[in-house]
Amino acid sequence: MSAFSITAANVLPLTNTKGNVYSRVQYFAAADLSAFTPVYISDTTNYLVSAAKADTVPHATIYGVVLTATKAGQPVVILQQGKVNPGFASGGGASVLVVLSGSAAGAVCPASDITTGWIATIIGVMDDANTLNVDFLATYNVAAAAHA
C-alpha cells in the first residue's frame, strides 16, 4: 500500500466520550499546509509548525495534525487527541495502525508501509474504515527509544 490519499473536505473532528483536545492559534504555519497534515514544531523556523516526516527524530516528533488547510504565516488549528474522520478510508477497517510516512513530508500511511530508515511514529488507530482515534500521548518513536 502507499500513503493514504486525503480528501480535505472530509477531514472532520468527531465527538466521543474521551473528548477532543485542540490547540488553537498557538502556532503559525511555516509553509502552506493541507488538512490532516501531521506537523512538528520547528526550532529552525522560529517555532512555526511544519509538515512532519519520519526521516529524523526532530521531524518525526509530532505535535498534532492540522484540521483545516492554512497558508504560510497563518494561524493553525491542530488536533492532538480525539476521534477524527481523517479524510481517507483505511481499506482495512478497524485496528489499522496509521503512521507518519518517511517518504513525503505530511503524508500518512498504514504501519505495514514502514521501511528501513523510517522513524516509526504512530499517529493513531482506526476505529473503523473512516474514524481515526488520534492520541499523541501514545505516540512511540521506536528509533529514539532504541538509542536512549
Side-chain angles (χ1 to χ4, degrees):
M1 197 171 206
S2 58
F4 292 117
S5 178
I6 296 167
T7 303
N10 293 343
V11 174
L12 178 68
L14 306 170
T15 57
N16 61 17
T17 57
K18 192 174 188 181
N20 287 316
V21 179
Y22 298 97
S23 290
R24 291 185 185 266
V25 193
Q26 293 182 2
Y27 288 91
F28 291 83
D32 293 357
L33 298 169
S34 301
F36 206 78
T37 298
V39 292
Y40 73 100
I41 300 171
S42 173
D43 60 358
T44 60
T45 59
N46 296 319
Y47 298 97
L48 300 174
V49 292
S50 300
K53 184 177 177 185
D55 58 347
T56 66
V57 172
H59 293 164
T61 304
I62 301 172
Y63 180 71
V65 291
V66 174
L67 286 177
T68 57
T70 190
K71 298 286 186 188
Q74 296 300 306
V76 182
V77 177
I78 297 172
L79 174 72
Q80 293 181 307
Q81 184 180 20
K83 295 187 180 190
V84 63
N85 177 334
F88 61 81
S90 69
S95 300
V96 171
L97 191 62
V98 177
V99 300
L100 182 63
S101 172
S103 297
V108 296
C109 58
S112 58
D113 282 8
I114 294 175
T115 187
T116 303
W118 286 21
I119 311 246
T121 306
I122 300 167
I123 293 173
V125 178
M126 298 299 289
D127 282 351
D128 58 44
N130 297 300
T131 304
L132 178 64
N133 190 1
V134 173
D135 190 346
F136 294 100
L137 298 175
T139 298
Y140 183 70
N141 189 314
V142 175
H147 298 294

